[in-house]
Amino acid sequence: MQYQVDVFTGKIRDYDDSRPSAIAKLQVEGELILTELGIVGDEQAEKSYHGGTDRALCHYPREHYAHWVQIFPEQAALFCAPAFGENLSTEGLTEQNVFIGDIFRWGNTLIQVTQPRSPCFKLNFHFGISDISAQMQASGRVGWLYRVVAAGKVSAEAPLELLSRVSDVSVYDAAAIAWFQPFDDEQYHRLLSAAGLSASWTRTMQNRRTHGKIEEQSRRLWGK
């Protein structure tokens, strides 16, 4: 099955708290170049947490925006793609039917799902909502990230087409294991067994198994 896609890129700019971000993106048309680090012309700030080969592209389901409009009706005008800083926006693909390791064809490139998108505190500043990052994580409406398996030319006219499914762990399952469930070594092992899982998530889940506890998340969610 094929899915039509809107494409967005952004440049780094400073926010009121003086923390740079490239979350504010603009729609782009025509032919684009996709490298192992993402779309040429797209930028990421704080590369320890954003970007890199395992996080080259961010995908957010367009249908989730109706949920956020319902939760925050006074800010309804804010909730349309690419408000969550996504590069790719579609209808028909969600965390429930996209799986870790899924390989999609896009143009003459191949991209692979690596992890759920981990919401961070910059979303709170972006929307002017103090806890939207935590609400996003708790809802499971987080989107997901890709690595680029085969670089090349892409465009908004080229649909996404699922080619291979290599694990039984959906993006929603991965988010639930990481964030909703209590400490569960068996489930961490299941997630670690998912082909294509990003290095950062592999490290995090293995650290949980090694140390028997869940890491602190307040800096990512709240900037503290």
Side-chain angles (χ1 to χ4, degrees), residues 21-68:
S21 175
I23 192 172
K25 299 188 183 297
L26 298 173
Q27 189 165 0
V28 290
E29 305 284 352
E31 187 175 88
L32 303 164
I33 301 300
L34 182 63
T35 75
E36 291 183 355
L37 294 177
I39 300 169
V40 172
D42 190 45
E43 297 180 348
Q44 300 86 29
E46 293 194 77
K47 293 185 183 295
S48 297
Y49 304 99
H50 304 286
T53 56
D54 278 350
R55 298 173 292 199
L57 293 169
C58 178
H59 189 147
Y60 198 70
R62 194 177 305 138
E63 46 266 62
H64 288 347
Y65 282 106
H67 166 81
W68 298 113

mmCIF file of all heavy atoms in Angstrom, residues 21-68:
data_model
loop_
_atom_site.group_PDB
_atom_site.id
_atom_site.type_symbol
_atom_site.label_atom_id
_atom_site.label_comp_id
_atom_site.label_asym_id
_atom_site.label_seq_id
_atom_site.Cartn_x
_atom_site.Cartn_y
_atom_site.Cartn_z
ATOM 1 N N SER A 21 16.456 25.767 18.450
ATOM 2 C CA SER A 21 15.663 24.638 17.984
ATOM 3 C C SER A 21 15.332 24.842 16.514
ATOM 4 O O SER A 21 15.255 25.970 16.036
ATOM 5 C CB SER A 21 14.362 24.517 18.797
ATOM 6 O OG SER A 21 13.530 23.491 18.269
ATOM 7 N N ALA A 22 15.121 23.715 15.813
ATOM 8 C CA ALA A 22 14.680 23.768 14.423
ATOM 9 C C ALA A 22 13.293 23.146 14.292
ATOM 10 O O ALA A 22 12.927 22.635 13.241
ATOM 11 C CB ALA A 22 15.670 23.048 13.517
ATOM 12 N N ILE A 23 12.499 23.211 15.369
ATOM 13 C CA ILE A 23 11.185 22.578 15.366
ATOM 14 C C ILE A 23 10.214 23.264 14.406
ATOM 15 O O ILE A 23 9.311 22.627 13.872
ATOM 16 C CB ILE A 23 10.603 22.535 16.800
ATOM 17 C CG1 ILE A 23 9.376 21.611 16.826
ATOM 18 C CG2 ILE A 23 10.274 23.920 17.309
ATOM 19 C CD1 ILE A 23 8.847 21.354 18.212
ATOM 20 N N ALA A 24 10.374 24.571 14.186
ATOM 21 C CA ALA A 24 9.475 25.294 13.288
ATOM 22 C C ALA A 24 9.886 25.013 11.846
ATOM 23 O O ALA A 24 10.896 25.524 11.361
ATOM 24 C CB ALA A 24 9.532 26.788 13.581
ATOM 25 N N LYS A 25 9.099 24.185 11.160
ATOM 26 C CA LYS A 25 9.449 23.754 9.814
ATOM 27 C C LYS A 25 8.451 24.296 8.789
ATOM 28 O O LYS A 25 7.336 24.683 9.144
ATOM 29 C CB LYS A 25 9.527 22.228 9.746
ATOM 30 C CG LYS A 25 10.598 21.659 10.676
ATOM 31 C CD LYS A 25 10.821 20.182 10.478
ATOM 32 C CE LYS A 25 11.840 19.635 11.468
ATOM 33 N NZ LYS A 25 13.178 20.213 11.338
ATOM 34 N N LEU A 26 8.871 24.301 7.525
ATOM 35 C CA LEU A 26 8.051 24.780 6.424
ATOM 36 C C LEU A 26 7.927 23.689 5.377
ATOM 37 O O LEU A 26 8.847 22.893 5.171
ATOM 38 C CB LEU A 26 8.681 26.026 5.786
ATOM 39 C CG LEU A 26 8.824 27.257 6.686
ATOM 40 C CD1 LEU A 26 9.610 28.338 5.953
ATOM 41 C CD2 LEU A 26 7.458 27.788 7.115
ATOM 42 N N GLN A 27 6.776 23.669 4.700
ATOM 43 C CA GLN A 27 6.558 22.661 3.671
ATOM 44 C C GLN A 27 7.451 22.938 2.467
ATOM 45 O O GLN A 27 7.670 24.097 2.078
ATOM 46 C CB GLN A 27 5.096 22.648 3.234
ATOM 47 C CG GLN A 27 4.742 21.486 2.313
ATOM 48 C CD GLN A 27 3.245 21.292 2.183
ATOM 49 O OE1 GLN A 27 2.454 22.019 2.774
ATOM 50 N NE2 GLN A 27 2.853 20.282 1.419
ATOM 51 N N VAL A 28 7.980 21.873 1.904
ATOM 52 C CA VAL A 28 8.837 21.983 0.725
ATOM 53 C C VAL A 28 8.291 21.105 -0.392
ATOM 54 O O VAL A 28 7.679 20.060 -0.139
ATOM 55 C CB VAL A 28 10.299 21.598 1.042
ATOM 56 C CG1 VAL A 28 10.955 22.644 1.924
ATOM 57 C CG2 VAL A 28 10.379 20.233 1.708
ATOM 58 N N GLU A 29 8.501 21.549 -1.606
ATOM 59 C CA GLU A 29 8.015 20.828 -2.793
ATOM 60 C C GLU A 29 9.185 20.511 -3.707
ATOM 61 O O GLU A 29 10.300 20.983 -3.518
ATOM 62 C CB GLU A 29 6.990 21.688 -3.542
ATOM 63 C CG GLU A 29 5.819 22.172 -2.697
ATOM 64 C CD GLU A 29 4.803 21.081 -2.424
ATOM 65 O OE1 GLU A 29 4.937 19.984 -3.021
ATOM 66 O OE2 GLU A 29 3.887 21.313 -1.623
ATOM 67 N N GLY A 30 8.897 19.724 -4.729
ATOM 68 C CA GLY A 30 9.909 19.428 -5.734
ATOM 69 C C GLY A 30 10.896 18.378 -5.284
ATOM 70 O O GLY A 30 10.756 17.759 -4.229
ATOM 71 N N GLU A 31 11.920 18.185 -6.076
ATOM 72 C CA GLU A 31 12.914 17.151 -5.809
ATOM 73 C C GLU A 31 13.837 17.566 -4.669
ATOM 74 O O GLU A 31 14.298 18.704 -4.606
ATOM 75 C CB GLU A 31 13.727 16.880 -7.069
ATOM 76 C CG GLU A 31 14.676 15.704 -6.943
ATOM 77 C CD GLU A 31 15.369 15.394 -8.248
ATOM 78 O OE1 GLU A 31 16.438 15.985 -8.516
ATOM 79 O OE2 GLU A 31 14.832 14.566 -9.018
ATOM 80 N N LEU A 32 14.109 16.631 -3.776
ATOM 81 C CA LEU A 32 14.969 16.855 -2.622
ATOM 82 C C LEU A 32 16.011 15.748 -2.560
ATOM 83 O O LEU A 32 15.807 14.652 -3.100
ATOM 84 C CB LEU A 32 14.150 16.858 -1.323
ATOM 85 C CG LEU A 32 13.012 17.878 -1.246
ATOM 86 C CD1 LEU A 32 12.059 17.510 -0.125
ATOM 87 C CD2 LEU A 32 13.571 19.276 -1.038
ATOM 88 N N ILE A 33 17.105 16.028 -1.878
ATOM 89 C CA ILE A 33 18.159 15.029 -1.688
ATOM 90 C C ILE A 33 18.102 14.516 -0.252
ATOM 91 O O ILE A 33 18.100 15.305 0.698
ATOM 92 C CB ILE A 33 19.555 15.620 -1.975
ATOM 93 C CG1 ILE A 33 19.612 16.146 -3.408
ATOM 94 C CG2 ILE A 33 20.639 14.559 -1.756
ATOM 95 C CD1 ILE A 33 19.359 15.107 -4.477
ATOM 96 N N LEU A 34 18.025 13.200 -0.120
ATOM 97 C CA LEU A 34 18.013 12.562 1.192
ATOM 98 C C LEU A 34 19.337 11.847 1.400
ATOM 99 O O LEU A 34 19.713 10.972 0.614
ATOM 100 C CB LEU A 34 16.852 11.563 1.279
ATOM 101 C CG LEU A 34 16.667 10.837 2.608
ATOM 102 C CD1 LEU A 34 16.331 11.818 3.725
ATOM 103 C CD2 LEU A 34 15.589 9.766 2.499
ATOM 104 N N THR A 35 20.060 12.229 2.452
ATOM 105 C CA THR A 35 21.332 11.592 2.803
ATOM 106 C C THR A 35 21.145 10.770 4.075
ATOM 107 O O THR A 35 20.062 10.730 4.658
ATOM 108 C CB THR A 35 22.425 12.637 3.042
ATOM 109 O OG1 THR A 35 22.203 13.279 4.321
ATOM 110 C CG2 THR A 35 22.431 13.701 1.941
ATOM 111 N N GLU A 36 22.202 10.140 4.529
ATOM 112 C CA GLU A 36 22.131 9.354 5.760
ATOM 113 C C GLU A 36 21.804 10.212 6.972
ATOM 114 O O GLU A 36 21.382 9.696 8.009
ATOM 115 C CB GLU A 36 23.439 8.607 5.990
ATOM 116 C CG GLU A 36 23.683 7.491 4.984
ATOM 117 C CD GLU A 36 24.948 6.716 5.267
ATOM 118 O OE1 GLU A 36 25.690 7.118 6.196
ATOM 119 O OE2 GLU A 36 25.191 5.703 4.595
ATOM 120 N N LEU A 37 21.981 11.526 6.865
ATOM 121 C CA LEU A 37 21.687 12.436 7.975
ATOM 122 C C LEU A 37 20.377 13.190 7.787
ATOM 123 O O LEU A 37 20.042 14.056 8.589
ATOM 124 C CB LEU A 37 22.836 13.422 8.161
ATOM 125 C CG LEU A 37 24.163 12.804 8.615
ATOM 126 C CD1 LEU A 37 25.247 13.865 8.692
ATOM 127 C CD2 LEU A 37 24.005 12.106 9.961
ATOM 128 N N GLY A 38 19.613 12.867 6.735
ATOM 129 C CA GLY A 38 18.308 13.490 6.553
ATOM 130 C C GLY A 38 18.218 14.265 5.254
ATOM 131 O O GLY A 38 19.054 14.121 4.355
ATOM 132 N N ILE A 39 17.193 15.098 5.162
ATOM 133 C CA ILE A 39 16.952 15.896 3.967
ATOM 134 C C ILE A 39 17.945 17.050 3.926
ATOM 135 O O ILE A 39 18.117 17.771 4.912
ATOM 136 C CB ILE A 39 15.514 16.445 3.961
ATOM 137 C CG1 ILE A 39 14.504 15.293 3.980
ATOM 138 C CG2 ILE A 39 15.272 17.334 2.749
ATOM 139 C CD1 ILE A 39 13.074 15.738 4.253
ATOM 140 N N VAL A 40 18.600 17.216 2.798
ATOM 141 C CA VAL A 40 19.536 18.335 2.649
ATOM 142 C C VAL A 40 18.771 19.651 2.826
ATOM 143 O O VAL A 40 17.740 19.873 2.189
ATOM 144 C CB VAL A 40 20.221 18.291 1.271
ATOM 145 C CG1 VAL A 40 21.040 19.558 1.043
ATOM 146 C CG2 VAL A 40 21.107 17.056 1.151
ATOM 147 N N GLY A 41 19.253 20.501 3.736
ATOM 148 C CA GLY A 41 18.593 21.763 4.053
ATOM 149 C C GLY A 41 17.834 21.734 5.361
ATOM 150 O O GLY A 41 17.470 22.793 5.883
ATOM 151 N N ASP A 42 17.605 20.541 5.911
ATOM 152 C CA ASP A 42 16.956 20.440 7.222
ATOM 153 C C ASP A 42 18.027 20.472 8.303
ATOM 154 O O ASP A 42 19.112 19.901 8.130
ATOM 155 C CB ASP A 42 16.160 19.135 7.314
ATOM 156 C CG ASP A 42 15.266 19.082 8.547
ATOM 157 O OD1 ASP A 42 14.592 20.088 8.822
ATOM 158 O OD2 ASP A 42 15.226 18.028 9.214
ATOM 159 N N GLU A 43 17.732 21.152 9.415
ATOM 160 C CA GLU A 43 18.716 21.292 10.484
ATOM 161 C C GLU A 43 18.167 20.750 11.800
ATOM 162 O O GLU A 43 16.949 20.649 11.992
ATOM 163 C CB GLU A 43 19.105 22.770 10.662
ATOM 164 C CG GLU A 43 19.777 23.377 9.436
ATOM 165 C CD GLU A 43 20.159 24.830 9.631
ATOM 166 O OE1 GLU A 43 19.710 25.445 10.634
ATOM 167 O OE2 GLU A 43 20.922 25.351 8.794
ATOM 168 N N GLN A 44 19.076 20.391 12.696
ATOM 169 C CA GLN A 44 18.714 19.967 14.047
ATOM 170 C C GLN A 44 19.638 20.650 15.039
ATOM 171 O O GLN A 44 20.849 20.762 14.799
ATOM 172 C CB GLN A 44 18.838 18.443 14.232
ATOM 173 C CG GLN A 44 17.974 17.598 13.317
ATOM 174 C CD GLN A 44 18.645 17.324 11.988
ATOM 175 O OE1 GLN A 44 19.865 17.270 11.892
ATOM 176 N NE2 GLN A 44 17.835 17.149 10.954
ATOM 177 N N ALA A 45 19.063 21.116 16.141
ATOM 178 C CA ALA A 45 19.856 21.656 17.242
ATOM 179 C C ALA A 45 20.104 20.544 18.264
ATOM 180 O O ALA A 45 19.411 19.532 18.268
ATOM 181 C CB ALA A 45 19.121 22.825 17.888
ATOM 182 N N GLU A 46 21.088 20.737 19.127
ATOM 183 C CA GLU A 46 21.412 19.770 20.183
ATOM 184 C C GLU A 46 21.467 18.360 19.617
ATOM 185 O O GLU A 46 20.633 17.499 19.900
ATOM 186 C CB GLU A 46 20.396 19.858 21.331
ATOM 187 C CG GLU A 46 20.456 21.167 22.091
ATOM 188 C CD GLU A 46 19.705 21.130 23.394
ATOM 189 O OE1 GLU A 46 20.243 20.546 24.364
ATOM 190 O OE2 GLU A 46 18.597 21.662 23.459
ATOM 191 N N LYS A 47 22.489 18.100 18.834
ATOM 192 C CA LYS A 47 22.580 16.846 18.105
ATOM 193 C C LYS A 47 22.768 15.624 18.994
ATOM 194 O O LYS A 47 22.664 14.482 18.512
ATOM 195 C CB LYS A 47 23.700 16.942 17.070
ATOM 196 C CG LYS A 47 23.376 17.940 15.956
ATOM 197 C CD LYS A 47 24.438 17.940 14.876
ATOM 198 C CE LYS A 47 24.132 18.987 13.811
ATOM 199 N NZ LYS A 47 22.894 18.688 13.076
ATOM 200 N N SER A 48 23.009 15.833 20.279
ATOM 201 C CA SER A 48 23.048 14.688 21.195
ATOM 202 C C SER A 48 21.676 14.053 21.337
ATOM 203 O O SER A 48 21.558 12.871 21.683
ATOM 204 C CB SER A 48 23.557 15.115 22.577
ATOM 205 O OG SER A 48 24.885 15.578 22.503
ATOM 206 N N TYR A 49 20.632 14.842 21.084
ATOM 207 C CA TYR A 49 19.268 14.358 21.276
ATOM 208 C C TYR A 49 18.464 14.326 19.973
ATOM 209 O O TYR A 49 17.431 13.665 19.898
ATOM 210 C CB TYR A 49 18.532 15.244 22.284
ATOM 211 C CG TYR A 49 19.238 15.349 23.600
ATOM 212 C CD1 TYR A 49 20.037 16.460 23.904
ATOM 213 C CD2 TYR A 49 19.146 14.331 24.541
ATOM 214 C CE1 TYR A 49 20.702 16.555 25.112
ATOM 215 C CE2 TYR A 49 19.815 14.407 25.750
ATOM 216 C CZ TYR A 49 20.586 15.527 26.031
ATOM 217 O OH TYR A 49 21.253 15.613 27.223
ATOM 218 N N HIS A 50 18.894 15.070 18.964
ATOM 219 C CA HIS A 50 18.161 15.171 17.707
ATOM 220 C C HIS A 50 19.090 14.891 16.538
ATOM 221 O O HIS A 50 20.264 15.225 16.567
ATOM 222 C CB HIS A 50 17.543 16.559 17.548
ATOM 223 C CG HIS A 50 16.645 16.957 18.672
ATOM 224 N ND1 HIS A 50 15.391 16.426 18.847
ATOM 225 C CD2 HIS A 50 16.838 17.822 19.690
ATOM 226 C CE1 HIS A 50 14.839 16.958 19.924
ATOM 227 N NE2 HIS A 50 15.702 17.803 20.460
ATOM 228 N N GLY A 51 18.553 14.310 15.492
ATOM 229 C CA GLY A 51 19.339 14.062 14.310
ATOM 230 C C GLY A 51 20.289 12.890 14.478
ATOM 231 O O GLY A 51 20.215 12.113 15.426
ATOM 232 N N GLY A 52 21.188 12.741 13.517
ATOM 233 C CA GLY A 52 22.079 11.593 13.486
ATOM 234 C C GLY A 52 21.516 10.499 12.591
ATOM 235 O O GLY A 52 20.387 10.572 12.117
ATOM 236 N N THR A 53 22.307 9.467 12.363
ATOM 237 C CA THR A 53 21.909 8.455 11.396
ATOM 238 C C THR A 53 20.668 7.671 11.807
ATOM 239 O O THR A 53 19.887 7.259 10.939
ATOM 240 C CB THR A 53 23.067 7.482 11.138
ATOM 241 O OG1 THR A 53 23.500 6.918 12.387
ATOM 242 C CG2 THR A 53 24.235 8.188 10.461
ATOM 243 N N ASP A 54 20.462 7.450 13.087
ATOM 244 C CA ASP A 54 19.279 6.711 13.545
ATOM 245 C C ASP A 54 18.043 7.591 13.668
ATOM 246 O O ASP A 54 16.941 7.088 13.876
ATOM 247 C CB ASP A 54 19.540 6.064 14.912
ATOM 248 C CG ASP A 54 20.292 4.749 14.803
ATOM 249 O OD1 ASP A 54 20.442 4.242 13.672
ATOM 250 O OD2 ASP A 54 20.736 4.233 15.845
ATOM 251 N N ARG A 55 18.227 8.912 13.562
ATOM 252 C CA ARG A 55 17.116 9.861 13.730
ATOM 253 C C ARG A 55 17.127 10.879 12.592
ATOM 254 O O ARG A 55 16.968 12.075 12.809
ATOM 255 C CB ARG A 55 17.238 10.544 15.098
ATOM 256 C CG ARG A 55 17.156 9.568 16.268
ATOM 257 C CD ARG A 55 17.443 10.202 17.604
ATOM 258 N NE ARG A 55 18.834 10.620 17.732
ATOM 259 C CZ ARG A 55 19.431 10.858 18.893
ATOM 260 N NH1 ARG A 55 18.766 10.702 20.020
ATOM 261 N NH2 ARG A 55 20.684 11.248 18.941
ATOM 262 N N ALA A 56 17.301 10.355 11.393
ATOM 263 C CA ALA A 56 17.481 11.225 10.231
ATOM 264 C C ALA A 56 16.192 11.909 9.808
ATOM 265 O O ALA A 56 16.227 13.008 9.250
ATOM 266 C CB ALA A 56 18.039 10.416 9.063
ATOM 267 N N LEU A 57 15.051 11.271 10.056
ATOM 268 C CA LEU A 57 13.749 11.813 9.677
ATOM 269 C C LEU A 57 12.756 11.597 10.810
ATOM 270 O O LEU A 57 12.794 10.562 11.495
ATOM 271 C CB LEU A 57 13.204 11.108 8.431
ATOM 272 C CG LEU A 57 13.935 11.314 7.098
ATOM 273 C CD1 LEU A 57 13.405 10.318 6.085
ATOM 274 C CD2 LEU A 57 13.752 12.741 6.600
ATOM 275 N N CYS A 58 11.853 12.557 10.975
ATOM 276 C CA CYS A 58 10.772 12.453 11.955
ATOM 277 C C CYS A 58 9.437 12.409 11.213
ATOM 278 O O CYS A 58 9.184 13.219 10.326
ATOM 279 C CB CYS A 58 10.813 13.643 12.910
ATOM 280 S SG CYS A 58 9.476 13.647 14.133
ATOM 281 N N HIS A 59 8.579 11.466 11.590
ATOM 282 C CA HIS A 59 7.278 11.262 10.947
ATOM 283 C C HIS A 59 6.193 11.415 12.018
ATOM 284 O O HIS A 59 6.291 10.821 13.088
ATOM 285 C CB HIS A 59 7.236 9.853 10.364
ATOM 286 C CG HIS A 59 6.066 9.565 9.486
ATOM 287 N ND1 HIS A 59 6.147 8.722 8.408
ATOM 288 C CD2 HIS A 59 4.773 9.977 9.515
ATOM 289 C CE1 HIS A 59 4.969 8.628 7.803
ATOM 290 N NE2 HIS A 59 4.106 9.381 8.477
ATOM 291 N N TYR A 60 5.170 12.215 11.719
ATOM 292 C CA TYR A 60 4.054 12.372 12.654
ATOM 293 C C TYR A 60 2.734 12.201 11.910
ATOM 294 O O TYR A 60 2.522 12.829 10.861
ATOM 295 C CB TYR A 60 4.095 13.737 13.344
ATOM 296 C CG TYR A 60 3.249 13.773 14.593
ATOM 297 C CD1 TYR A 60 3.631 13.061 15.719
ATOM 298 C CD2 TYR A 60 2.052 14.480 14.641
ATOM 299 C CE1 TYR A 60 2.857 13.061 16.869
ATOM 300 C CE2 TYR A 60 1.266 14.483 15.789
ATOM 301 C CZ TYR A 60 1.682 13.771 16.903
ATOM 302 O OH TYR A 60 0.910 13.767 18.036
ATOM 303 N N PRO A 61 1.827 11.357 12.422
ATOM 304 C CA PRO A 61 0.550 11.117 11.759
ATOM 305 C C PRO A 61 -0.347 12.357 11.792
ATOM 306 O O PRO A 61 -0.596 12.933 12.854
ATOM 307 C CB PRO A 61 -0.073 9.978 12.586
ATOM 308 C CG PRO A 61 1.082 9.313 13.259
ATOM 309 C CD PRO A 61 2.029 10.429 13.565
ATOM 310 N N ARG A 62 -0.836 12.730 10.632
ATOM 311 C CA ARG A 62 -1.661 13.930 10.538
ATOM 312 C C ARG A 62 -2.958 13.776 11.320
ATOM 313 O O ARG A 62 -3.498 14.764 11.841
ATOM 314 C CB ARG A 62 -1.950 14.219 9.064
ATOM 315 C CG ARG A 62 -2.511 15.610 8.794
ATOM 316 C CD ARG A 62 -2.695 15.818 7.295
ATOM 317 N NE ARG A 62 -1.451 15.575 6.575
ATOM 318 C CZ ARG A 62 -1.376 14.910 5.421
ATOM 319 N NH1 ARG A 62 -2.454 14.416 4.854
ATOM 320 N NH2 ARG A 62 -0.200 14.744 4.838
ATOM 321 N N GLU A 63 -3.484 12.550 11.409
ATOM 322 C CA GLU A 63 -4.774 12.363 12.071
ATOM 323 C C GLU A 63 -4.719 12.642 13.571
ATOM 324 O O GLU A 63 -5.754 12.851 14.199
ATOM 325 C CB GLU A 63 -5.336 10.957 11.821
ATOM 326 C CG GLU A 63 -4.379 9.808 11.995
ATOM 327 C CD GLU A 63 -3.729 9.397 10.677
ATOM 328 O OE1 GLU A 63 -3.021 10.229 10.082
ATOM 329 O OE2 GLU A 63 -3.919 8.245 10.250
ATOM 330 N N HIS A 64 -3.529 12.676 14.161
ATOM 331 C CA HIS A 64 -3.418 12.973 15.595
ATOM 332 C C HIS A 64 -3.799 14.413 15.932
ATOM 333 O O HIS A 64 -4.128 14.718 17.077
ATOM 334 C CB HIS A 64 -1.999 12.715 16.094
ATOM 335 C CG HIS A 64 -1.636 11.268 16.191
ATOM 336 N ND1 HIS A 64 -2.556 10.251 16.114
ATOM 337 C CD2 HIS A 64 -0.426 10.671 16.368
ATOM 338 C CE1 HIS A 64 -1.938 9.089 16.237
ATOM 339 N NE2 HIS A 64 -0.654 9.322 16.397
ATOM 340 N N TYR A 65 -3.732 15.294 14.960
ATOM 341 C CA TYR A 65 -3.987 16.700 15.265
ATOM 342 C C TYR A 65 -5.410 16.945 15.760
ATOM 343 O O TYR A 65 -5.644 17.860 16.562
ATOM 344 C CB TYR A 65 -3.652 17.577 14.055
ATOM 345 C CG TYR A 65 -2.167 17.790 13.920
ATOM 346 C CD1 TYR A 65 -1.435 17.146 12.938
ATOM 347 C CD2 TYR A 65 -1.490 18.615 14.817
ATOM 348 C CE1 TYR A 65 -0.058 17.331 12.834
ATOM 349 C CE2 TYR A 65 -0.124 18.798 14.724
ATOM 350 C CZ TYR A 65 0.587 18.152 13.733
ATOM 351 O OH TYR A 65 1.957 18.334 13.652
ATOM 352 N N ALA A 66 -6.370 16.126 15.332
ATOM 353 C CA ALA A 66 -7.746 16.265 15.833
ATOM 354 C C ALA A 66 -7.790 16.047 17.344
ATOM 355 O O ALA A 66 -8.558 16.713 18.057
ATOM 356 C CB ALA A 66 -8.667 15.286 15.120
ATOM 357 N N HIS A 67 -6.982 15.126 17.829
ATOM 358 C CA HIS A 67 -6.910 14.879 19.281
ATOM 359 C C HIS A 67 -6.415 16.116 20.020
ATOM 360 O O HIS A 67 -7.003 16.528 21.028
ATOM 361 C CB HIS A 67 -5.977 13.696 19.555
ATOM 362 C CG HIS A 67 -5.576 13.557 20.990
ATOM 363 N ND1 HIS A 67 -6.392 12.964 21.930
ATOM 364 C CD2 HIS A 67 -4.444 13.947 21.664
ATOM 365 C CE1 HIS A 67 -5.784 12.982 23.113
ATOM 366 N NE2 HIS A 67 -4.611 13.579 22.976
ATOM 367 N N TRP A 68 -5.366 16.732 19.504
ATOM 368 C CA TRP A 68 -4.794 17.890 20.203
ATOM 369 C C TRP A 68 -5.720 19.105 20.127
ATOM 370 O O TRP A 68 -5.793 19.887 21.083
ATOM 371 C CB TRP A 68 -3.412 18.211 19.635
ATOM 372 C CG TRP A 68 -2.451 17.082 19.831
ATOM 373 C CD1 TRP A 68 -1.883 16.294 18.872
ATOM 374 C CD2 TRP A 68 -1.991 16.568 21.085
ATOM 375 N NE1 TRP A 68 -1.086 15.336 19.449
ATOM 376 C CE2 TRP A 68 -1.132 15.476 20.799
ATOM 377 C CE3 TRP A 68 -2.202 16.917 22.423
ATOM 378 C CZ2 TRP A 68 -0.503 14.739 21.805
ATOM 379 C CZ3 TRP A 68 -1.572 16.182 23.423
ATOM 380 C CH2 TRP A 68 -0.733 15.116 23.106
#
